[in-house]
Amino acid sequence: MLFGTDSAVRQARERLRRTSGGSEVQYRMCPSAVLMTASVRDALRMRQSTIALGLEAVGKGQCAAFFSAGNTMAIYAVSRRRLGLLSDISDAALAVVVPARCGPRVWLDVGISEDRSPDRFRELAHMGTAYAASILALGAKRPRVGLINVGDEPGKGPQFLRDAERLLRGDPVISFGGNVEGNGLFRSPYEVIVGDGLTLNVILKAVPAFLEEFGFTGRVLRWAAGHRVVRWL
């Protein structure tokens, strides 16, 4: 199901008709769209926007998921209002699947919250474990969780990370492996990496910027294609 303003839907329908027929796509005309420059407050007021109606369809069971390349914070805010949160989760998180030689890895939170309380890291570990178990080909294996830190030894880092590590080690629901420092993010044996929204957001944006700056982007993409992980990019 494709949600868009009148002109956007007409353009998409024509493009799909020329390339693949588009006969299986349902189209939903929406009165408005949330711009990238729109504030969260404005997005919440737009009850008939493409984002609002798309998420409403998910809530009604008409769609299984909602995908958008639009305003991230608007999608986050509207989804919280339209879909709500699980009872034991205080806030949502942004997760990305990152390609690595040892297999794809789930990183979260990459930008929603800078909350550094131990309970927040526990929530991230639970959400990341559930997400990784559902999208990665792990079979019966339980995803292992790593905590981004300044070193991989136990007890490293500032107090909030030491507190988080202690809580994660004692959690019977997850399989906590230990700390992961920056140079181990792409070599870590852990399928899930958790960190606060500021730290992982900076890393996520710095890595591709570095590759582009020094001309390594093409080489990495060719490697990813050769190792069949390009679908995770």
Side-chain angles (χ1 to χ4, degrees):
M1 187 177 290
L2 191 151
F3 294 81
T5 58
D6 181 73
S7 60
V9 167
R10 280 190 281 105
Q11 291 175 16
R13 179 183 288 163
E14 178 60 24
R15 188 162 57 248
L16 287 171
R17 185 188 64 78
R18 292 196 307 266
T19 57
S20 61
S23 59
E24 298 181 357
V25 179
Q26 298 179 44
Y27 300 92
R28 179 80 177 271
M29 303 286 191
C30 304
S32 60
V34 178
L35 300 178
M36 294 296 288
T37 55
S39 67
V40 167
R41 179 177 297 180
D42 289 340
L44 291 172
R45 288 173 177 168
M46 300 170 66
R47 300 180 182 275
Q48 298 295 307
S49 70
T50 53
I51 292 175
L53 295 179
L55 288 167
E56 182 181 84
V58 174
K60 292 180 178 179
Q62 299 169 348
C63 300
F66 179 75
F67 297 89
S68 174
N71 188 318
T72 302
M73 292 308 295
I75 296 169
Y76 157 73
V78 176
S79 65
R80 280 203 59 168
R81 173 168 292 185
R82 297 276 175 149
L83 304 177
L85 296 168
L86 297 175
S87 59
D88 58 344
I89 299 296
S90 65
D91 202 356
L94 281 181
V96 294
V97 180
V98 180
R101 291 184 183 274
C102 47
R105 298 297 188 248
V106 174
W107 293 4
L108 74 166
D109 181 12
V110 296
I112 284 295
S113 172
E114 298 175 21
D115 183 355
R116 293 175 172 178
S117 66
D119 279 337
R120 177 58 177 170
F121 287 99
R122 179 189 59 80
E123 291 179 356
L124 294 174
H126 284 212
M127 289 189 285
T129 295
Y131 186 49
S134 66
I135 67 167
L136 304 183
L138 300 177
K141 178 182 175 183
R142 187 162 58 156
R144 294 161 296 178
V145 178
L147 174 66
I148 184 70
N149 206 328
V150 295
D152 56 12
E153 305 90 348
K156 292 286 286 188
Q159 188 63 49
F160 75 90
L161 285 177
R162 297 198 298 272
D163 292 341
E165 180 192 349
R166 191 178 306 112
L167 183 63
L168 294 177
R169 286 194 185 280
D171 193 321
V173 176
I174 64 170
S175 176
F176 181 67
N179 293 320
V180 179
E181 55 184 329
N183 61 8
L185 277 174
F186 295 96
R187 299 182 256 183
S188 166
Y190 312 131
E191 289 79 18
V192 178
I193 303 294
V194 298
D196 66 272
L198 174 62
T199 301
L200 283 180
N201 183 274
V202 170
I203 295 172
L204 183 69
K205 293 176 179 176
V207 170
F210 173 85
L211 295 175
E212 183 177 358
E213 180 69 19
F214 292 96
F216 295 138
T217 302
R219 187 183 304 176
V220 170
L221 289 175
R222 287 191 295 273
W223 171 86
H227 288 75
R228 298 183 180 181
V229 296
V230 72
R231 64 193 178 104
W232 300 107
L233 294 175

